[in-house]
CSV table of all heavy atoms in Angstrom, one decimal:
chain,number,residue,atom,x,y,z
L,794,ASP,N,53.4,155.2,-149.4
L,794,ASP,CA,53.0,156.6,-149.8
L,794,ASP,C,51.5,156.4,-150.3
L,794,ASP,O,50.8,157.5,-150.1
L,794,ASP,CB,53.9,157.1,-150.8
L,794,ASP,CG,55.3,157.5,-150.2
L,794,ASP,OD1,55.3,158.3,-149.3
L,794,ASP,OD2,56.3,157.0,-150.8
L,795,ASP,N,51.2,155.4,-151.0
L,795,ASP,CA,49.8,155.2,-151.4
L,795,ASP,C,48.8,155.2,-150.2
L,795,ASP,O,47.8,155.8,-150.2
L,795,ASP,CB,49.7,153.9,-152.3
L,795,ASP,CG,50.6,153.9,-153.5
L,795,ASP,OD1,50.7,155.0,-154.0
L,795,ASP,OD2,50.9,152.9,-153.9
L,796,HIS,N,49.2,154.4,-149.2
L,796,HIS,CA,48.3,154.4,-148.1
L,796,HIS,C,48.2,155.7,-147.4
L,796,HIS,O,47.1,156.2,-146.9
L,796,HIS,CB,49.0,153.4,-147.0
L,796,HIS,CG,48.8,152.0,-147.4
L,796,HIS,ND1,47.6,151.3,-147.3
L,796,HIS,CD2,49.6,151.0,-147.9
L,796,HIS,CE1,47.7,150.0,-147.6
L,796,HIS,NE2,48.9,149.8,-148.0
L,797,ALA,N,49.3,156.4,-147.4
L,797,ALA,CA,49.4,157.7,-146.6
L,797,ALA,C,48.5,158.8,-147.4
L,797,ALA,O,47.7,159.6,-146.7
L,797,ALA,CB,50.8,158.2,-146.5
L,798,ILE,N,48.6,158.8,-148.8
L,798,ILE,CA,47.8,159.9,-149.4
L,798,ILE,C,46.3,159.6,-149.3
L,798,ILE,O,45.5,160.5,-149.2
L,798,ILE,CB,48.2,160.0,-150.9
L,798,ILE,CG1,47.7,161.3,-151.5
L,798,ILE,CG2,47.9,158.8,-151.7
L,798,ILE,CD1,48.1,162.5,-150.8
L,799,LEU,N,45.9,158.3,-149.4
L,799,LEU,CA,44.5,158.0,-149.2
L,799,LEU,C,44.0,158.2,-147.8
L,799,LEU,O,42.8,158.7,-147.6
L,799,LEU,CB,44.3,156.6,-149.6
L,799,LEU,CG,44.6,156.2,-151.1
L,799,LEU,CD1,44.3,154.7,-151.4
L,799,LEU,CD2,43.7,157.1,-152.0
L,800,ASP,N,44.9,158.0,-146.8
L,800,ASP,CA,44.5,158.3,-145.5
L,800,ASP,C,44.3,159.9,-145.3
L,800,ASP,O,43.3,160.3,-144.6
L,800,ASP,CB,45.6,157.8,-144.5
L,800,ASP,CG,45.2,158.2,-143.0
L,800,ASP,OD1,44.4,157.6,-142.4
L,800,ASP,OD2,45.8,159.1,-142.5
L,801,ARG,N,45.1,160.7,-145.9
L,801,ARG,CA,45.1,162.1,-145.8
L,801,ARG,C,43.9,162.6,-146.5
L,801,ARG,O,43.2,163.5,-146.2
L,801,ARG,CB,46.3,162.8,-146.3
L,801,ARG,CG,47.6,162.7,-145.4
L,801,ARG,CD,47.3,163.5,-144.1
L,801,ARG,NE,47.2,164.9,-144.4
L,801,ARG,CZ,46.1,165.6,-144.1
L,801,ARG,NH1,45.2,165.0,-143.3
L,801,ARG,NH2,46.0,166.8,-144.4
L,802,LEU,N,43.6,162.0,-147.7
L,802,LEU,CA,42.3,162.3,-148.4
L,802,LEU,C,41.0,162.1,-147.5
L,802,LEU,O,40.2,163.0,-147.4
L,802,LEU,CB,42.2,161.5,-149.6
L,802,LEU,CG,40.9,161.6,-150.5
L,802,LEU,CD1,40.8,163.1,-151.0
L,802,LEU,CD2,40.8,160.6,-151.5
L,803,LEU,N,40.9,161.0,-146.8
L,803,LEU,CA,39.8,160.7,-146.0
L,803,LEU,C,39.8,161.7,-144.9
L,803,LEU,O,38.7,162.2,-144.4
L,803,LEU,CB,39.8,159.3,-145.5
L,803,LEU,CG,39.7,158.2,-146.6
L,803,LEU,CD1,39.8,156.9,-146.0
L,803,LEU,CD2,38.4,158.4,-147.4
L,804,ALA,N,41.0,162.0,-144.2
L,804,ALA,CA,41.0,162.9,-143.1
L,804,ALA,C,40.6,164.3,-143.5
L,804,ALA,O,39.8,165.0,-142.8
L,804,ALA,CB,42.4,162.9,-142.6
L,805,THR,N,41.0,164.7,-144.7
L,805,THR,CA,40.6,166.0,-145.2
L,805,THR,C,39.1,166.1,-145.5
L,805,THR,O,38.5,167.1,-145.2
L,805,THR,CB,41.4,166.4,-146.5
L,805,THR,OG1,42.8,166.3,-146.3
L,805,THR,CG2,41.1,167.7,-147.1
L,806,LYS,N,38.5,165.0,-146.0
L,806,LYS,CA,37.1,165.0,-146.3
L,806,LYS,C,36.4,165.2,-145.0
L,806,LYS,O,35.4,165.9,-144.9
L,806,LYS,CB,36.7,163.8,-147.0
L,806,LYS,CG,37.1,163.7,-148.4
L,806,LYS,CD,36.6,162.5,-149.2
L,806,LYS,CE,35.2,162.6,-149.5
L,806,LYS,NZ,34.8,163.5,-150.5
L,807,ARG,N,36.9,164.5,-143.9
L,807,ARG,CA,36.2,164.6,-142.6
L,807,ARG,C,36.4,166.1,-142.1
L,807,ARG,O,35.4,166.6,-141.5
L,807,ARG,CB,36.9,163.6,-141.6
L,807,ARG,CG,36.4,162.2,-141.8
L,807,ARG,CD,36.8,161.2,-140.6
L,807,ARG,NE,38.3,161.1,-140.7
L,807,ARG,CZ,38.9,160.1,-141.3
L,807,ARG,NH1,38.2,159.2,-141.9
L,807,ARG,NH2,40.3,160.0,-141.2
L,808,ASP,N,37.6,166.6,-142.2
L,808,ASP,CA,37.8,168.0,-141.8
L,808,ASP,C,36.9,169.0,-142.5
L,808,ASP,O,36.2,169.9,-141.9
L,808,ASP,CB,39.2,168.5,-142.1
L,808,ASP,CG,40.2,167.8,-141.1
L,808,ASP,OD1,39.7,167.3,-140.0
L,808,ASP,OD2,41.4,167.9,-141.3
L,809,VAL,N,36.7,168.8,-143.9
L,809,VAL,CA,35.9,169.7,-144.6
L,809,VAL,C,34.4,169.5,-144.2
L,809,VAL,O,33.7,170.6,-144.0
L,809,VAL,CB,36.1,169.5,-146.1
L,809,VAL,CG1,35.1,170.3,-147.0
L,809,VAL,CG2,37.5,169.9,-146.5
L,810,ASN,N,34.0,168.3,-144.1
L,810,ASN,CA,32.6,168.1,-143.6
L,810,ASN,C,32.4,168.8,-142.3
L,810,ASN,O,31.3,169.4,-142.1
L,810,ASN,CB,32.3,166.5,-143.5
L,810,ASN,CG,32.2,165.8,-144.8
L,810,ASN,OD1,32.2,166.5,-145.9
L,810,ASN,ND2,32.3,164.5,-144.8
L,811,ARG,N,33.3,168.6,-141.4
L,811,ARG,CA,33.1,169.3,-140.0
L,811,ARG,C,33.1,170.8,-140.2
L,811,ARG,O,32.2,171.5,-139.6
L,811,ARG,CB,34.2,168.9,-139.2
L,811,ARG,CG,34.2,169.5,-137.8
L,811,ARG,CD,35.5,169.3,-137.0
L,811,ARG,NE,36.7,169.7,-137.7
L,811,ARG,CZ,37.1,171.0,-137.8
L,811,ARG,NH1,36.4,172.0,-137.2
L,811,ARG,NH2,38.2,171.3,-138.6
L,812,CYS,N,34.0,171.3,-141.1
L,812,CYS,CA,33.9,172.8,-141.2
L,812,CYS,C,32.6,173.3,-141.9
L,812,CYS,O,32.1,174.3,-141.4
L,812,CYS,CB,35.1,173.1,-142.2
L,812,CYS,SG,36.7,172.9,-141.5
Side-chain angles (χ1 to χ4, degrees):
D794 291 305
D795 297 330
H796 285 285
I798 193 62
L799 295 178
D800 177 77
R801 286 292 301 121
L802 172 64
L803 296 178
T805 302
K806 289 183 75 69
R807 285 190 290 268
D808 284 346
V809 171
N810 289 348
R811 176 189 56 78
C812 289

